[in-house]
Amino acid sequence: MVTVGEGLDKAVQGAFTRPIPKSAGAQMRYLIRQHQRSTRRVAELLGISQRTVERYVNNQIKKPRPQLAGRLEREVRARWQPQIRAKAKQTAATTAGIMIDVQARFGYTAAPGSTDDARVRHLTLALPPGHAARLFQAQEAGLTEDQLRQIAAEALGEVYFRDNGHRAHGLEVELTDLIDLEFEL
């Protein structure tokens, strides 16, 4: 299932200037540097033994199990190029905004006499910097996926459905079934 948090992370990763380390040994060495040279902390983080981490560092083991490979890559991506990640978020939140491409079922709460039937729509539009800042702040604050989805729905409602206050006053938008979602900085 597509999530707003993963979409935001993927968009920020698009700003990376260098690729993440490819081999399992290089990824382990990177994580060890990030955790003050502690193989114990990396082992706890990945749910493996300290000796196994040391074997990867020394290239005695080269190919991790698929489950471990996924965890390893996720942890490296989460820590890769933090300054570039922060700069990309700052730019999106202050000047550039963020592009959103979403296919979802939108539900409405509207004035009497108008339709409020939910329907699937595919929208691609630019969210202004204020909405991008709100999304990134909510993600950093650790809000749940439902809360992030609600913030995205409010942003889409404001920008697309209410046209920044020019029409459909009082229309409330809700994202019910998220089919596809992508963000781009």
Side-chain angles (χ1 to χ4, degrees):
M1 180 170 183
V2 181
T3 66
V4 176
E6 289 173 358
L8 289 170
D9 287 339
K10 197 173 190 180
V12 171
Q13 290 170 10
F16 289 166
T17 58
R18 292 181 296 140
I20 67 166
K22 298 287 183 208
S23 72
Q27 290 176 345
M28 284 289 185
R29 286 187 287 277
Y30 175 76
L31 284 177
I32 289 171
R33 280 193 307 274
Q34 294 300 306
H35 288 89
Q36 290 84 27
R37 310 257 182 235
S38 173
T39 55
R40 177 179 291 155
R41 286 185 190 161
V42 173
E44 290 170 359
L45 177 71
L46 297 173
I48 57 177
S49 72
Q50 185 175 352
R51 181 67 186 127
T52 302
V53 171
E54 292 166 358
R55 287 185 183 121
Y56 278 108
V57 170
N58 295 327
N59 288 327
Q60 293 172 342
I61 304 175
K62 295 186 183 210
K63 185 156 174 62
R65 299 181 317 270
Q67 188 178 36
L68 176 59
R71 279 194 314 247
L72 184 59
E73 185 173 342
R74 242 187 340 271
E75 294 299 331
V76 170
R77 278 192 188 281
R79 291 164 178 77
W80 189 248
Q81 294 189 327
Q83 293 174 337
I84 291 175
R85 181 188 308 264
K87 185 176 179 182
K89 285 181 181 181
Q90 181 67 25
T91 302
T94 56
T95 57
I98 192 167
M99 287 292 294
I100 183 171
D101 180 29
V102 61
Q103 184 175 7
R105 183 173 305 280
F106 289 90
Y108 312 96
T109 305
S114 63
T115 181
D116 61 353
D117 290 339
R119 58 186 134 174
V120 174
R121 291 183 184 241
H122 184 191
L123 303 175
T124 302
L125 50 112
L127 297 179
H131 292 295
R134 190 168 170 218
L135 279 166
F136 284 126
Q137 288 169 354
Q139 183 187 30
E140 289 173 9
L143 269 60
T144 66
E145 180 59 29
D146 289 337
Q147 292 168 320
L148 287 173
R149 190 178 290 188
Q150 181 60 34
I151 292 169
E154 290 170 8
L156 290 168
E158 178 67 28
V159 173
Y160 180 76
F161 294 100
R162 291 190 297 273
D163 193 20
N164 294 318
H166 290 77
R167 62 184 162 113
H169 302 287
L171 179 74
E172 295 297 322
V173 178
E174 180 181 322
L175 274 170
T176 53
D177 297 327
L178 199 56
I179 298 167
D180 189 32
L181 174 76
E182 288 184 30
F183 290 99
E184 186 178 319
L185 299 179

